[in-house]
Every structure is written in C-alpha cells, then in structure tokens.
Amino acid sequence: MDTHSLNISVSIEKDEKTLTNATFFTSDLYEVPTSLVIILSCCYGTISLVSVVGNLSVLLIVAVSRRMRTVTNYFIANLAVADIVIGLFAIPFQFQAALLQKWVLPPFMCAFCPFVQVMSVNVSIFSLAAIALDRYRAVMHPIKAKTANGSAKWIILLIWIFSAMFGIPYAMALRVTLVYDPDTGDLTKPFCHNVGITGNLWKAYNYTLVCIQYIVPLCLISMVYMNIGIKLKDTPIPGNREGARDNTVLKNRRKVRFCIPCNVP
C-alpha cells in the first residue's frame, strides 16, 4: 500500500470515528412536538416577562423613595437585578436550546448565557445570605453599629465579583460544535456543549458549584434564622403587660419563624 492510499485510509478511519462519537453523543437528543414548543414558550415567556417587570418595580421603589434606601433594601435591590438578568438572558435562551435540541443563536451566546445564568444565581444566593447576616447582626447585636450604606455597596460589588469568578469555567468550557444530525446523517447540527474542560474536572467543578450555590448557603441561612427565631422567642417583651400589644408582638414573631424556610436558597 502506497503512502497516498495509507493517508486516505487513516482519514476515513478518523472521519468514521468522529461520526461514531458524535452519534453516541447525540443519541439521547429528542425531537419536541411543535405544539409543546408553543405551549412551553408561552409559559416561559410569561415567567420571564413577569420576572423582569416585577423586579424592575422593586428597583424603581428603592430608587425613588429615599426612605427605602436601607442596607437590607439595597441587598433586596441587588437580588432584583440578578433576577432581571436571569429573566433576560437565562430563561429565554437556555429554554430554546433545551427545546430545539440545537443551538440557533450566535455562537458567542453559547458561553455567554450559561455564564450569566451561573453568575446571576450566585448573586441571588449570596444576596440572600447577606440579608440573613444583616438581620442576624441587627437582632443578636442591636447595640453595635449598623452596616453603613457605603459598606453595603462594597459588599454588593464583592458579591458580583465572586459570582462572576465562579461562572468563568462555563465561559471557558462551552462552545458550539457540529454534531450528528439523524436527518442528514452527517455532522450538521450545531450544539452547545462542553469542549474546553475534561470530564472529571468538569464534574468536580459542578459538584463545587452545588456546594457554593446550595449546601453552604442552606446551612448558613438556616442556622442564622434559627438563631434569630430562638432569640426572639426567648426575649421578654419590654414594658408593662398589655394584651393587644403582646398578641401583636407574638404574631410578628410567628411570622419570622414562618418566613425562615422561605429565605433559604
């Protein structure tokens, strides 16, 4: 066999191997009925619209009313910004990719949208943790100086920086490549997936992300609000006993204990 024939043989084997791998990779892809696409598009579109409009209202209230510019409300406004970003960039684009089972958007958005999604989710969770810690400080150490608005702004900046750092691997790993398309029998379907980070490292990163986004904040926020609830329960009501006032205070304390599960990520 001459050199030319050998090169052709090697090339054919490589193409067959690539096609086989691509076929294996896309074997679990599925076709979504058009009717389901329309229904889910309406549902997710409504969710995205309500999310953006509702959180814009929160930002408007905090921006317009000087009385609302407190440390806690700054964190809530930061939470609203993160939710707006999710509503604009994560819900619509990630949803269409999952439904269509291919990437039809500009290639740069393959890495950009997941990066923004991870960053925004991190911002939301870190903001909830910051709110919990701020309330903990106010309830458990009321004599100490409160967090200044300027300090809150620096904390918010750090939240965004660290949130972006934890999302960088998605920006590095995800790219659009052509995978096997059963309709054409060739590598013609654009698909957004991980091509930049090896499998074990990618798994380790995602496990770390689960800890950062869920396990650690869940434990932190749960412990903080449990301590707040215990503190409020055991603290006597100052002043002379008054039935109506005491009942109101007790109701408010029950509300605090009821809201504890609602503030975990």
Side-chain angles (χ1 to χ4, degrees):
M1 182 181 294
D2 58 12
T3 305
H4 180 68
S5 300
L6 182 60
N7 290 337
I8 293 176
S9 176
V10 171
S11 177
I12 292 174
E13 288 178 0
K14 287 183 177 180
D15 290 341
E16 289 178 348
K17 184 177 180 181
T18 302
L19 189 59
T20 301
N21 291 337
T23 305
F24 176 77
F25 173 76
T26 57
S27 60
D28 57 345
L29 299 183
Y30 52 88
E31 294 294 331
V32 182
T34 304
S35 58
L36 184 60
V37 171
I38 295 174
I39 294 173
L40 292 179
S41 297
C42 293
C43 293
Y44 276 84
T46 302
I47 292 172
S48 181
L49 180 63
V50 171
S51 172
V52 172
V53 173
N55 286 289
L56 279 175
S57 301
V58 173
L59 291 179
L60 183 63
I61 292 172
V62 175
V64 171
S65 176
R66 183 178 296 273
R67 186 172 59 87
M68 297 296 292
R69 296 175 191 174
T70 63
V71 171
T72 301
N73 287 340
Y74 279 141
F75 289 136
I76 293 175
N78 190 50
L79 185 63
V81 172
D83 290 342
I84 289 172
V85 174
I86 291 176
L88 289 176
F89 295 103
I91 295 177
F93 302 126
Q94 296 295 94
F95 167 71
Q96 67 83 27
L99 267 188
L100 300 180
Q101 293 292 289
K102 61 181 179 180
W103 192 260
V104 297
L105 300 172
F108 81 92
M109 297 188 74
C110 167
F112 176 74
C113 291
F115 164 75
V116 169
Q117 179 180 357
V118 172
M119 179 181 67
S120 301
V121 170
N122 288 339
V123 169
S124 297
I125 294 169
F126 295 162
S127 297
L128 287 173
I131 292 171
L133 292 173
D134 179 65
R135 293 299 85 207
Y136 177 86
R137 182 177 181 180
V139 173
M140 305 298 288
H141 307 286
I143 306 300
K144 291 185 178 180
K146 297 181 180 179
T147 305
N149 288 350
S151 300
K153 293 176 182 178
W154 280 107
I155 293 172
I156 290 172
L157 177 61
L158 290 175
I159 285 175
W160 280 94
I161 291 174
F162 281 108
S163 299
M165 288 174 56
F166 288 121
I168 287 176
Y170 267 92
M172 296 172 56
L174 299 182
R175 294 293 183 271
V176 176
T177 60
L178 296 178
V179 299
Y180 179 76
D181 189 348
D183 295 333
T184 62
D186 204 351
L187 305 177
T188 56
K189 177 181 285 190
F191 198 78
C192 177
H193 62 110
N194 171 30
V195 297
I197 299 179
T198 59
N200 291 334
L201 190 59
W202 186 245
K203 285 182 180 179
Y205 164 69
N206 281 280
Y207 289 145
T208 304
L209 206 58
V210 170
C211 294
I212 293 171
Q213 290 184 341
Y214 186 75
I215 297 176
V216 173
L218 176 63
C219 295
L220 174 65
I221 295 175
S222 298
M223 288 190 295
V224 165
Y225 279 110
M226 283 176 61
N227 286 329
I228 291 175
I230 293 171
K231 176 71 173 180
L232 293 177
K233 179 182 177 182
D234 295 338
T235 302
I237 302 172
N240 297 326
R241 289 185 174 274
E242 295 181 10
R245 184 203 63 180
D246 293 353
N247 289 333
T248 302
V249 172
L250 290 174
K251 287 181 181 179
N252 290 334
R253 290 180 177 179
R254 292 192 191 101
K255 290 179 183 178
V256 171
R257 291 196 294 270
F258 175 76
C259 289
I260 290 174
C262 301
N263 284 276
V264 297

